[in-house]
């Protein structure tokens, strides 16, 4: 299920002069593909908060455990979170800009004791409390572009008297969500 409802997308598209009335199934598929593409590009699952559950993560460093996006952490390896031993980051769920961000790592005052092969079990409320507006707008733009490219073959959108014109990705989409990228998306973590 995408972060943008079909009704919201239809209302947004009607304001566009080039609106074509595709079927609901086609528009929903474009919205789902847009969300999946954005999540993959950002290396995070931006979605609404779900119920708390346990997930296991591999220990990759001495004192830092990278985790999936979450709004709360209640247990680490079955023990309540002790704030004198663990720090959830970003601290206070805030980015340097002041916007809300989910926790994405846990810093320990000592080396992680989780079994290297078994990992560390973290019980948390996974997801985002609010979907950033730049993500919903980027998803709308990308879904519209996907629909506009339905008839594009081999990346060729049109022909001129000289050559084919290639369809390109919309840089505005990635400019909107660039600040939300996890370090894993840069290939340095």
């Amino acid at each position: 299920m995408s972060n943008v409802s079909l009704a919201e997308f239809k209302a947004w598209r009607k304001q566009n002069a080039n609106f074509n009335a595709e079927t609901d199934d086609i528009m929903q598929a474009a919205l789902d593909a847009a969300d999946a593409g954005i999540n993959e590009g950002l290396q995070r699952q931006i979605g609404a908060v779900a119920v708390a559950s346990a997930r296991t993560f591999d220990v990759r460093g001495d004192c830092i455990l990278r985790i999936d996006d979450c709004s709360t952490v209640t247990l680490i390896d079955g023990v309540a979170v002790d704030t004198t031993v663990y720090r959830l980051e970003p601290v206070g769920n805030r980015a340097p800009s002041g916007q809300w961000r989910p926790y994405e790592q846990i810093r320990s005052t000592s080396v992680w004791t989780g079994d290297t092969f078994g990992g560390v079990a973290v019980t948390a409320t996974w997801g985002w409390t609010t979907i950033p507006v730049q993500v919903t707008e980027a998803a709308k733009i990308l879904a519209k572009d996907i629909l506009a490219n339905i008839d594009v073959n081999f990346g060729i959108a049109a022909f001129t008297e000289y050559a084919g014109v290639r369809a390109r990705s919309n840089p505005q989409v990635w400019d909107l969500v660039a600040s939300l990228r996890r370090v894993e998306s840069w290939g340095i973590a």
Side-chain angles (χ1 to χ4, degrees):
M1 190 65 174
S2 68
N3 291 321
V4 178
S5 73
L6 187 57
E8 183 181 5
F9 182 61
K10 283 178 165 181
W12 180 82
R13 291 258 345 252
K14 284 184 181 175
Q15 295 175 12
N16 181 344
N18 297 328
F19 175 71
N20 294 326
E22 291 90 5
T23 66
D24 287 357
D25 292 343
I26 291 172
M27 284 191 281
Q28 186 63 57
L31 283 169
D32 293 344
D35 271 352
I38 290 169
N39 287 340
E40 186 65 30
L42 299 177
Q43 288 294 294
R44 59 182 353 138
Q45 184 68 37
I46 296 181
V49 169
V51 295
S53 62
R55 296 182 183 176
T56 303
F57 300 92
D58 290 330
V59 176
R60 293 193 281 170
D62 291 342
C63 300
I64 296 175
L65 181 68
R66 296 290 295 167
I67 60 173
D68 296 337
D69 294 342
C70 64
S71 58
T72 63
V73 176
T74 52
L75 301 172
I76 299 173
D77 275 341
V79 179
V81 176
D82 180 352
T83 56
T84 62
V85 178
Y86 302 110
R87 183 173 75 190
L88 303 173
E89 296 177 348
V91 176
N93 288 108
R94 294 280 176 247
S97 65
Q99 289 185 327
W100 186 91
R101 290 290 186 271
Y103 295 123
E104 57 186 47
Q105 69 184 25
I106 303 171
R107 187 178 302 271
S108 175
T109 57
S110 61
V111 175
W112 285 100
T113 58
D115 175 3
T116 303
F117 296 107
V120 176
V122 177
T123 301
T125 306
W126 307 105
W128 291 58
T129 56
T130 58
I131 306 302
V133 66
Q134 60 265 45
V135 170
T136 57
E137 290 306 306
K140 291 173 194 174
I141 293 167
L142 187 54
K144 179 184 73 70
D145 289 351
I146 290 168
L147 292 170
N149 287 319
I150 286 176
D151 293 327
V152 172
N153 293 313
F154 304 109
I156 305 296
F159 287 97
T160 68
E161 58 192 67
Y162 301 107
V165 178
R166 296 189 60 79
R168 292 185 275 170
S169 61
N170 190 331
Q172 185 179 20
V173 170
W174 301 109
D175 288 347
L176 281 170
V177 296
S179 67
L180 301 173
R181 290 177 69 177
R182 283 180 65 113
V183 296
E184 291 86 352
S185 71
W186 297 98
I188 58 175

